[in-house]
Amino acid sequence: MKSKYLTTPIYYVNAKPHIGHYYTTMLADTLKRHYMQRGYAVTFLTGTDEHGEKIEQMAAEAGKPPQMFADEIAAVFRDTWEQLNLNFDIFFRTTQKDHAKKVQTAVQRLKDRGDIVFREYSGNYCVGCERFLTSSEVNAEGLCPDHLRKPEPRSEANYFFLMSKYQQALIDYIDQNPEWIEPKHYRNEVLSFLKQPLGDLCISRPKTRLTWGIDLPFDDKYVIYVWFDALLNYTNALGWPDDFDADLWRSCIHLVGKDILKTHAVYWPTMLMALGIPQFAKLQVGGYWLSGDHKMSKSLGNVLRPLDVEAQYGTETLRFYLLKDMAYGQDASFSENSYVACINAHLANGIGNLVSRVLTLCAKNEVKSFDPSTLTDKDRTLLALRRLTLDAWDRAFEECKYQNAIKAWCELVSSVDFYINEMKPWALAKQPESRADLERSLCVSLQMIEALAIMIYPVLPQAAGKILAALGLGQSMLATATDVDRTSAGYGLTYDVPKLFMRVTITEETT
Ligand code: MSP
């Protein structure tokens, strides 16, 4: 069986999950369901990044030992994703058993092959980013653009990974694999960054400054830099080094936000080269969800909690809105007005209204089946749109243009509405001689609804399940998209009309 390994970043335990974290994790869940429908065995990893200065500081402020602090927030992440029906397979924590040993093995291997040196270093460190920023990375006021804080000047002796040794090999790899980093402008950003000489990566922190980390195996006065520890989660989770599932690893798609492009497109691949591990398949980079014109982030305090938002506006409405309103890779503004408009237009009206109007007409007129030999050209033209829409959906997913997939699906909903308005089944129901036309037009509509449910399953899994149940079909039909245009002469309708999405009104702008 073909396989795919999908990963989200592992989130720092300094903040509870907000919409920015949710977007990437929900996208991974959507991709998992999408690929499963196309015959892949998918492993989806998410988790928490628990070491480092930022966590040590937060735990101290909360008056808790760092492990206790990390345990609490990691549990919040895990529970939140579960409550939001995000179907991860691995929840990786960097404080979990064996991770430290494996990270030490990796550092030791680099040391043994001469890729680690000890030297004095001065630079400006942003604790929010947990890395040194170069002068071109700070804004005009000298602040970190993401955290709006001044990086601290630091000078200390540390161990360095000779990342610069791998600069040319990395450039060659990116040149030879044009689809490795998507969308394209991030690939160009990395290539342009790599035109400058690449520095080496400081991979240690003196214990005089930080103790909350994994001990450096060859010098007990140091702990390992948090990013070096965190990135290795992706391979450690697959059993590296002793039971490594290298095939699954090669299928890996890393989903990240643009804030961590450099760590994933430069640090990580050079670490993999030095460790002799093959490269991951793809790095997919998303933009920011903004609130006003600022990135939503814990440190700026402008966050929305996905559980609160869904409790207010309805299950799965946020998934649909976030995928529909962000051009993947670019920034998007979260606006309650456009969220509410999207729910009403596409979920409450759109699919919700379509399902309810067709099923109500079926119930009222006791229609469940028809004679397929009566199909007209108009019916066939509509039915053929199922495959065309699925093809458009698949293309959009291959190109990371999730917006286009949803747009194609919404157009299909409109085409069915248009067909019903033309066929006027409510008028046909009044003429006994038009019974065959009534049955035909309603059953064609049911077939379209079945296809719409199967197609949207990756985005609206629960709603899709409810629709299939109302059609009298088993949930296993959601497991594949291949039969989306099957012919069906009838449905085991219960005549129940499911409540899918409520119309909503705006309460107040939650910013
Ligand atoms: N711990 C590191 C990642 C280590 S991966 C080996 C980290 N954690 S984080 O908690 O800061 O979360 C980073 C990720 O959360 C971003 O890369 C992005 O995927 C997501 N987002 C956080 N805020 C976001 C927005 N406002 N908008 C969109 N996504 C953002 O960095």
Side-chain angles (χ1 to χ4, degrees), residues 9-12 18 20-21 24 49 227 230-231 233-234 256-257 259-260 264 287-289 295-296:
I10 49 170
Y11 302 107
Y12 286 127
H18 60 64
H21 305 124
T24 312
D49 185 357
W227 267 103
L231 287 161
N233 94 88
Y234 298 133
V256 296
D259 48 342
I260 53 176
H264 283 79
Y288 290 155
W289 278 99
K295 179 192 177 202
M296 279 185 203

Side-chain angles (χ1 to χ4, degrees), residues 16-33:
K16 294 192 179 147
H18 60 64
I19 283 186
H21 305 124
Y22 176 63
Y23 175 73
T24 312
T25 321
M26 175 277 291
L27 178 59
D29 180 75
T30 301
L31 289 178
K32 172 174 174 175
R33 295 174 196 270

Side-chain angles (χ1 to χ4, degrees), residues 213-230:
I214 298 173
D215 284 348
L216 198 64
F218 42 81
D219 187 338
D220 63 8
K221 292 185 292 308
Y222 286 85
V223 293
I224 295 168
Y225 170 45
V226 62
W227 267 103
F228 192 92
D229 148 7

Side-chain angles (χ1 to χ4, degrees), residues 365-383:
N365 299 291
E366 297 188 16
V367 171
K368 285 187 183 207
S369 58
F370 81 117
D371 173 1
S373 71
T374 61
L375 281 176
T376 65
D377 284 350
K378 197 187 281 285
D379 302 329
R380 289 206 183 83
T381 307
L382 180 71
L383 290 166

